Amino acid sequence: DAGITQSPRHKVTETGTPVTLRCHQTENHRYMYWYRQDPGHGLRLIHYSYGVKDTDKGEVSDGYSVSRSKTEDFLLTLESATSSQTSVYFCAISELPGTGYGYTFGSGTRLTVV
Amino acid sequence: GESVGLHLPTLSVQEGDNSIINCAYSNSASDYFIWYKQESGKGPQFIIDIRSNMDKRQGQRVTVLLNKTVKHLSLQIAATQPGDSAVYFCAESFNQGGKLIFGQGTELSVKP
């Protein structure tokens, strides 16, 4: 998707290892979000950021941490990966809160924890 | 907790027919609703949105209807095409930092 890049696109990792997913944007949007997508649950918010070094928890934040040291990068870290964190992770950006049109999603990272 | 849900997990329609995808929400304070389309292997893409002060909004081949009385949202797709095959999500916003709460999704399958 234009303006937002997630890396890696796919990753397989072992239980107990740390994992960091990266979201990079070139739109200079203020708001960035991390969602996970699982069958039967749709997309659930993990963490979000409303500015550099300003982050907050979403509905499924346990086991995850985030950092945003620059406007363009939002990192999601699994400190010690568990099998329950096997999922597809999506990053999203927006400039105006509550404006779906300005909400752009990345292509996702498929994470498998074995 | 508050939730957004969908009545039908799957919907199969014939090409050229109209499609209706439904969504129920539980939070009467939600003031903004969005429909997204997600194709396999891709992130969700914006289709259409509606604010709580409206009950209908039309786009190109799509219409969103909002019934606040029964907390119901629907997406109508006219003359459904094979390219419309995807999973459709509704989402609601409480205007809290732009956080969106998503429903579980409905898979639309269009038969040629």
Side-chain angles (χ1 to χ4, degrees):
Chain A
D1 294 274
I4 179 170
T5 305
Q6 290 186 234
S7 59
R9 290 297 312 275
H10 302 272
K11 185 171 182 65
V12 179
T13 191
E14 293 185 349
T15 299
T17 61
V19 177
T20 295
L21 308 182
R22 182 185 184 226
C23 179
H24 178 78
Q25 61 147 328
T26 57
E27 304 297 318
N28 201 35
H29 283 351
R30 177 180 176 186
Y31 298 88
M32 300 186 75
Y33 312 84
W34 277 108
Y35 284 86
R36 61 177 288 175
Q37 185 172 35
D38 305 290
H41 290 281
L43 286 94
R44 293 181 292 174
L45 182 65
I46 305 171
H47 280 280
Y48 67 102
S49 171
Y50 44 95
V52 173
K53 297 184 179 179
D54 288 326
T55 65
D56 206 347
K57 296 179 179 180
E59 60 182 308
V60 290
S61 59
D62 288 347
Y64 302 94
S65 62
V66 290
S67 66
R68 191 168 178 201
S69 58
K70 301 184 289 184
T71 298
E72 57 265 37
D73 290 324
F74 192 33
L75 304 180
L76 176 70
T77 297
L78 290 66
E79 301 292 346
S80 178
T82 67
S83 58
S84 65
Q85 293 175 311
T86 292
S87 186
V88 180
Y89 292 85
F90 286 98
C91 176
I93 60 174
S94 72
E95 181 57 28
L96 297 174
T99 304
Y101 187 78
Y103 226 89
T104 303
F105 283 85
S107 298
T109 294
R110 183 173 294 277
L111 176 68
T112 302
V113 183
V114 298
Chain B
E2 306 296 347
S3 65
V4 176
L6 294 170
H7 295 303
L8 299 173
T10 60
L11 178 64
S12 183
V13 299
Q14 203 70 36
E15 181 179 359
D17 288 351
N18 297 333
S19 302
I20 300 176
I21 301 172
N22 296 302
C23 177
Y25 66 95
S26 58
N27 189 350
S28 58
S30 293
D31 58 4
Y32 183 64
F33 305 88
I34 312 98
W35 281 101
Y36 285 92
K37 173 185 180 183
Q38 186 177 25
E39 297 174 289
S40 181
K42 298 183 179 180
Q45 293 179 293
F46 172 89
I47 302 174
I48 192 168
D49 59 357
I50 189 168
R51 296 203 174 274
S52 58
N53 61 352
M54 303 172 68
D55 54 20
K56 181 179 180 179
R57 191 166 187 217
Q58 288 183 294
Q60 187 175 12
R61 282 201 307 120
V62 295
T63 301
V64 55
L65 299 178
L66 176 62
N67 186 330
K68 295 182 286 295
T69 301
V70 296
K71 298 177 188 172
H72 184 267
L73 191 69
S74 69
L75 176 70
Q76 300 178 0
I77 304 174
T80 313
Q81 302 169 0
D84 294 326
S85 294
V87 176
Y88 289 81
F89 292 95
C90 63
E92 64 179 308
S93 172
F94 302 87
N95 203 30
Q96 297 169 358
K99 292 183 293 183
L100 296 180
I101 306 299
F102 285 82
Q104 294 183 11
T106 291
E107 182 173 7
L108 175 65
S109 176
V110 182
K111 296 176 289 186

